[in-house]
Amino acid sequence: MLYAGGAVTESDRFSRESACRVFKDYVSRFDSSDPRISLKLEHTFMVAKLCDEIARSEGLSETDTDLAWLCGLFHDIGRFEQVRRWDTFRDSASIGHAELGVEVLGTVEGVRISDFCNNEEWAGIAMRAVELHSRLKLPDDLDDRTRMFCEIVRDADKVDIVRVFSESDSQSVLGLAPDEFRNGSISDAAMAGFEERRCLGPRDRQANLDGILGVICFSFEIVSPSARSALDRLGYVDDLLRSPFGLAPSFASEDTQAKWCKVSRVLGGNVGC
């Protein structure tokens, strides 16, 4: 494939295999025994695959589909360094992982975007996609082409984060043991965001179960019809509602139980409420 945008030369030729090799070489610098590394590696390739599927469903050219895939491959590259430096995936306890990803792609030997992306347009779009993929909202001043790729990455990321939550345990993703999860709470602020059918911002996340509600709320702001269809078809949201982290949705707090049942009723989950 050739890079899209600008004059194409032999040095602009793009290989997904080469990009994967560069990415995996970079990840090999980190502790492979840490399950968070393998989890994030799997997430990365799932998001790249979803970016490819969304781009194809929207009729993008082969070159633009390659660019969408590449943006997905890069999107969470800051996570690995985040774990190494701060031993956490929590941005609030370290640094924004998207910001760190831009730093990695701009400076780190062997994985700088300029090492294997010689087309300036591709490099610029990919860096913006990394920078903006976890923002609550995209800035209004993005040009239409950059916005399109950013939205593809954000949609793919949302869909696969729901998968990660639906297939993981509460300790891995929320830092809560099963008993802590059952005794957890959902804040009124998080429920207000849910009732407004929007994604939750940092100020909305006040209680220890607000994180899982925030992931469920991703379904409200997916842009691409194909991404929304994939989320519905794969049933990840229903899995979370019916059996969160493999646990029965039975909470010690009546307030938490009532809120969980309300969310389930709105989204069609079957939790026996």
Side-chain angles (χ1 to χ4, degrees), residues 136 186-194 196 198-211 213-214 217 221:
L136 193 59
I186 297 171
S187 71
D188 291 340
M191 278 302 293
F194 172 81
E196 292 168 8
R198 61 173 173 80
C199 288
L200 304 185
R203 294 182 180 179
D204 300 315
R205 299 169 187 257
Q206 301 176 3
N208 58 359
L209 298 189
D210 289 354
L213 183 58
C217 286
E221 295 191 9

Side-chain angles (χ1 to χ4, degrees), residues 170-182:
S170 58
Q171 184 69 55
S172 296
V173 295
L174 292 180
L176 300 175
D179 285 347
E180 292 175 308
F181 179 78
R182 292 189 185 96

Side-chain angles (χ1 to χ4, degrees), residues 29 44 63 122 128-129 141 172 242 248 267:
R29 306 176 190 186
T44 292
T63 50
W122 271 43
R128 288 293 269 167
D141 60 353
S172 296
R242 180 170 36 83
L267 295 179

Side-chain angles (χ1 to χ4, degrees), residues 94-115:
S94 55
I95 190 175
H97 71 281
E99 174 188 344
L100 192 55
V102 171
E103 176 188 325
V104 169
L105 290 171
T107 63
V108 175
E109 187 70 29
V111 76
R112 287 182 303 235
I113 197 167
S114 58
D115 291 342

Side-chain angles (χ1 to χ4, degrees), residues 49-50 53 159 225-236 239:
K49 180 176 181 290
L50 283 165
E53 292 175 2
V159 171
S226 63
R228 184 175 297 280
S229 175
L231 185 64
D232 293 342
R233 182 181 73 252
L234 295 168
Y236 296 143
D239 288 346

